[in-house]
Amino acid sequence: MLEKTFAIIKPDAVAAKNAGKIIDRIEAEGFTIKAMKKIHMTKAIAERFYFVHRERPFYNDLTNFMSSGPCIVMCLEKEDAIKGWRALMGATNPDAAEADTLRKLYGKNIDNNAVHGSDAPETAAEEVAFFFTGIELM
Ligand code: CMP
């Protein structure tokens, strides 16, 4: 099923100038970039975006990191895009990520792990709508 997912190239990967390589790989793997922009989240926006994690011990570090510099947010489309993008990212912790995945190639540790992706259809729809308006997705 042709599906959309939401992706972020995180501040560590943007600062390290790995964004171009990651975007190349996204296209080489058959995803269509439906929408894309570079933004610098405020702490408050990062807190809203990651609200689901508000009780987790890493919430403060995570939202500080995500508001520490610009990132690139994207809506990606492909057959089974959610599963496919999660596979291309690899495990959350780069140490545990499979060879040649984006987190293995470009992530440093579980906090600075280069990329984010939605985990289910409901969160993909919410996350895309959080950052993009309807006209940006046409
Ligand atoms: P992400 O896919 O952006 O979703 C939440 C982020 O929290 C995750 O990637 C990690 O970068 C970060 N994080 C830090 N510690 C943990 C943890 N123990 N479990 C899951 N995510 C964590």
Side-chain angles (χ1 to χ4, degrees), residues 98-120:
E98 303 74 6
D100 209 33
T101 59
L102 296 172
R103 283 170 168 159
K104 178 60 97 184
L105 290 169
Y106 304 115
K108 291 190 202 83
N109 53 53
I110 196 164
D111 297 307
N112 291 235
N113 64 350
V115 284
H116 164 82
S118 309
D119 58 4

Side-chain angles (χ1 to χ4, degrees), residues 50 53 55-64 110-111:
Y50 280 113
H53 293 309
E55 308 288 354
R56 308 288 293 273
F58 55 84
Y59 182 63
N60 191 47
D61 285 347
L62 171 64
T63 54
N64 280 339
I110 196 164
D111 297 307

Side-chain angles (χ1 to χ4, degrees), residues 26-134:
I26 285 169
E27 293 198 311
E29 297 284 345
F31 291 89
T32 298
I33 299 171
K34 297 296 288 181
M36 174 166 70
K37 57 190 171 188
K38 188 175 192 179
I39 58 161
H40 189 154
M41 291 188 217
T42 61
K43 171 86 167 165
I45 289 174
E47 286 173 347
R48 276 279 301 280
F49 180 71
Y50 280 113
F51 193 67
V52 68
H53 293 309
R54 66 194 177 282
E55 308 288 354
R56 308 288 293 273
F58 55 84
Y59 182 63
N60 191 47
D61 285 347
L62 171 64
T63 54
N64 280 339
F65 166 61
M66 292 302 292
S67 57
S68 67
C71 64
I72 294 170
V73 293
M74 289 176 285
C75 174
L76 305 179
E77 187 175 73
K78 190 183 170 181
E79 291 285 316
D80 290 322
I82 295 170
K83 200 168 145 221
W85 174 239
R86 292 180 70 76
L88 181 56
M89 288 194 299
T92 306
N93 189 339
D95 289 341
E98 303 74 6
D100 209 33
T101 59
L102 296 172
R103 283 170 168 159
K104 178 60 97 184
L105 290 169
Y106 304 115
K108 291 190 202 83
N109 53 53
I110 196 164
D111 297 307
N112 291 235
N113 64 350
V115 284
H116 164 82
S118 309
D119 58 4
E122 303 72 36
T123 44
E126 279 173 24
E127 291 179 354
V128 167
F130 187 85
F131 285 106
F132 294 104
T133 64

